[in-house]
Amino acid sequence: MAILSFKGGVHPFDGKALSKTEPIEDYLPKGEIVIPLSQHIGAPASPIVKAGDRVLVNQKIGEASGFISANIHSSVSGTVKKIEPRLVTGGNKVQSVVIENDNLYEECPVTDLRSPEDMTSEEKLELVKEAGVVGMGGAGFPAHVKLSPKNKDDIEYIIVNGAECEPYLTSDYRRMIEQPEYLIEGLRLVLSMFKKAKGIIAIEDNKTDAARKIRELVKNETDIEVKVVYTKYPQGGERALIYAVTGRKVNSDMLPADVNCIVHNVDTIFSIRRAIAEKKPLIDRIVTITGDAVNKPKNLKVRIGTNMRELIDAAGGFKSAPEKIISGGPMMGIAVYDLNIPVSKGSSALLCFTKDEVRACEPGNCINCGRCVSVCPGRVVPSRLAMLAEQGDKEAFEKNFGMECCECGCCSYICPAKRNLTQAIKSMRKDILADRRKK
């Protein structure tokens, strides 16, 4: 059987053994809850509560303020203390609803008693939108927008991204191992919204037990299949995954829907199922707490808005003071300098390392070895793009296909001179996209 993969990519140490066997544990927050009104790509939600209001679990507290936006819900019951800018993962401050948790976890009653079989596709989509479901693999793209392509009747594949190619992360793996029935049910619900779509659950071959379990559960399904893909980073990247399982190519000017595909992360599919089948919004997620500085690595089911510092305590604290802490994976995650930040819909992991290997490296001059070119999944020349970015030459950067970069970090990882290629390219792409929005 042919190996399903893509051109380029790297094989970093995966570190998954630290938390792979740790089952999902429920964690209830102890302190105040800080719920950012911007946890997604697009316009921030607008607050619909005020200081002094009592809120319940699952109550909507932020209203989507545009098509590309998402509703925000309370993950606890308690009293709104204030609405003010608070620090988030990226190091910036965003408007947030601060709630004094009363530890009662009193929920809003579910009044919609319809079963999924009694709903139209439009009604299911509306439930996903109302629930504030977004892409939980890191991008945070509103799920209802992805599920509303212009060519809806042409969609052929709904691809569930179970690759989890980022090193150290095991939250999706635990979800697939512990709750595969919910994953399959969620995929069925999404398929019911499209006339001729088939479902593909893509899992890397370092998770054969998950693939085996899910394959057994779908053996009688005519519209769902499991495809095992080669373990390589960034196999879970949207473009890479589509190419691996369908052979179709997507560039920076295209959306997956342009090749009749829609891709959703494992946890996103799980949240879509909960929105449609249980009428419940996205208020929690699985977060992997791991790294060689952590006493007891864990996979915790965490309420949105929980303080990150509490998660370290739940994992037994630090063995020794970490030199580096990352929110997300080591390849595309964001280094954090303050743990007093809230868990958001896109918080897949908290990685704590005793050594900051990147800071210890002194960047040297490019030796024109071509390694960055050989591993680039976007098939561009990262060394040249980084040089153009440093020179501020936007025109040449675009002519050299700089916008095809997916910012995966493979080039920086493989560079023997330890040059900060991805960071330079990422900054230039950000500037160019800002210029386009102005125009």
Side-chain angles (χ1 to χ4, degrees):
M1 187 175 71
I3 295 176
L4 301 178
S5 192
F6 62 98
K7 295 179 181 179
V10 293
H11 298 271
F13 171 70
D14 76 357
K16 294 181 186 290
L18 288 170
S19 59
K20 188 175 183 178
T21 59
E22 296 299 320
I24 299 168
E25 296 179 27
D26 281 351
Y27 178 79
L28 293 178
K30 295 179 174 61
E32 70 176 17
I33 293 291
V34 177
I35 303 181
L37 291 167
S38 180
Q39 301 181 49
H40 47 265
I41 287 177
S46 301
I48 57 174
V49 292
K50 62 183 184 303
D53 287 353
R54 185 166 190 272
V55 295
L56 303 177
V57 176
N58 298 330
Q59 180 178 331
K60 185 159 63 174
I61 59 175
E63 185 86 51
S65 57
F67 180 58
I68 302 182
S69 185
N71 292 330
I72 303 291
H73 300 78
S74 177
S75 58
V76 299
S77 57
T79 304
V80 176
K81 292 172 64 177
K82 57 186 78 172
I83 299 174
E84 64 180 14
R86 286 292 186 98
L87 186 70
V88 294
T89 302
N92 56 316
K93 290 187 176 183
V94 304
Q95 197 77 345
S96 305
V97 179
V98 182
I99 301 172
E100 185 66 50
N101 182 9
D102 63 13
N103 296 304
L104 297 176
Y105 298 100
E106 187 179 349
E107 296 190 7
C108 283
V110 176
T111 57
D112 187 345
L113 302 180
R114 293 173 298 168
S115 68
E117 292 76 18
D118 297 328
M119 299 180 205
T120 64
S121 295
E122 290 73 21
E123 288 170 332
K124 292 173 186 174
L125 184 64
E126 186 59 32
L127 286 173
V128 173
K129 179 180 179 181
E130 185 63 27
V133 180
V134 302
M136 297 170 73
F141 198 84
H144 69 275
V145 179
K146 266 194 180 184
L147 295 173
S148 308
K150 294 179 181 177
N151 58 331
K152 189 170 183 177
D153 291 343
D154 296 329
I155 296 298
E156 296 177 66
Y157 295 109
I158 305 298
I159 302 169
V160 180
N161 181 359
E164 198 167 42
C165 62
E166 272 272 14
Y168 291 91
L169 274 60
T170 57
S171 56
D172 285 347
Y173 168 77
R174 291 311 310 178
R175 186 74 91 180
M176 290 188 287
I177 285 291
E178 296 184 43
Q179 298 172 316
E181 298 87 355
Y182 286 161
L183 175 65
I184 295 164
E185 184 184 348
L187 179 54
R188 285 197 201 105
L189 288 170
V190 174
L191 289 173
S192 72
M193 300 164 69
F194 298 89
K195 288 183 177 180
K196 62 179 182 180
K198 304 285 187 180
I200 297 174
I201 302 174
I203 305 173
E204 279 191 330
D205 59 10
N206 63 350
K207 308 174 186 67
T208 53
D209 50 349
R212 189 164 51 248
K213 177 175 280 195
I214 295 174
R215 185 171 275 152
E216 177 63 24
L217 291 172
V218 302
K219 64 182 180 182
N220 296 322
E221 300 275 350
T222 57
D223 293 336
I224 299 176
E225 66 176 316
V226 174
K227 288 196 175 185
V228 176
V229 295
Y230 184 52
T231 299
K232 179 171 61 170
Y233 177 85
Q235 187 68 263
E238 202 167 54
R239 296 185 214 169
L241 195 64
I242 290 172
Y243 181 78
V245 299
T246 70
R248 301 176 185 186
K249 296 181 180 180
V250 180
N251 63 38
S252 64
D253 294 325
M254 300 168 66
L255 294 172
D258 293 328
V259 293
N260 300 327
C261 296
I262 291 175
V263 182
H264 276 304
N265 165 267
V266 164
D267 237 6
T268 308
I269 291 289
F270 181 89
S271 298
I272 289 171
R273 186 211 71 85
R274 187 165 53 182
I276 297 173
E278 300 179 25
K279 319 300 186 298
K280 291 185 177 180
L282 172 52
I283 63 162
D284 57 43
R285 66 158 300 133
I286 312 301
V287 182
T288 301
I289 316 300
T290 188
D292 62 355
V294 175
N295 266 313
K296 298 177 181 178
K298 290 183 180 291
N299 292 292
L300 299 176
K301 181 182 175 183
V302 182
R303 305 237 170 181
I304 304 302
T306 302
N307 190 286
M308 290 277 198
R309 191 173 294 280
E310 290 187 36
L311 305 188
I312 299 298
D313 294 337
F318 294 127
K319 292 179 183 176
S320 59
E323 278 192 4
K324 190 162 195 173
I325 299 176
I326 301 172
S327 177
M331 299 298 287
M332 292 187 73
I334 300 173
V336 299
Y337 62 87
D338 189 341
L339 280 172
N340 289 312
I341 52 176
V343 171
S344 69
K345 295 177 182 180
S347 301
S348 58
L350 194 61
L351 312 185
C352 308
F353 299 114
T354 54
K355 298 294 182 185
D356 185 347
E357 296 181 10
V358 174
R359 189 174 65 177
C361 297
E362 188 66 33
N365 294 322
C366 177
I367 60 173
N368 294 311
C369 65
R371 292 186 192 177
C372 61
V373 180
S374 69
V375 301
C376 177
R379 318 313 297 156
V380 296
V381 184
S383 56
R384 181 183 301 159
L385 293 176
M387 178 189 70
L388 294 171
E390 289 164 359
Q391 294 172 350
D393 193 338
K394 295 180 182 178
E395 183 178 353
F397 183 90
E398 291 195 72
K399 283 183 179 179
N400 281 271
F401 308 103
M403 301 311 288
E404 295 304 316
C405 170
C406 64
E407 303 175 8
C408 66
C410 286
C411 54
S412 293
Y413 174 83
I414 206 69
C415 178
K418 305 302 179 185
R419 298 183 66 214
N420 297 320
L421 302 172
T422 306
Q423 290 86 336
I425 296 169
K426 185 175 182 177
S427 295
M428 177 60 90
R429 278 170 44 85
K430 185 177 180 180
D431 288 347
I432 290 173
L433 290 171
D435 291 345
R436 290 180 180 178
R437 284 193 293 270
K438 290 176 183 177
K439 293 178 181 178

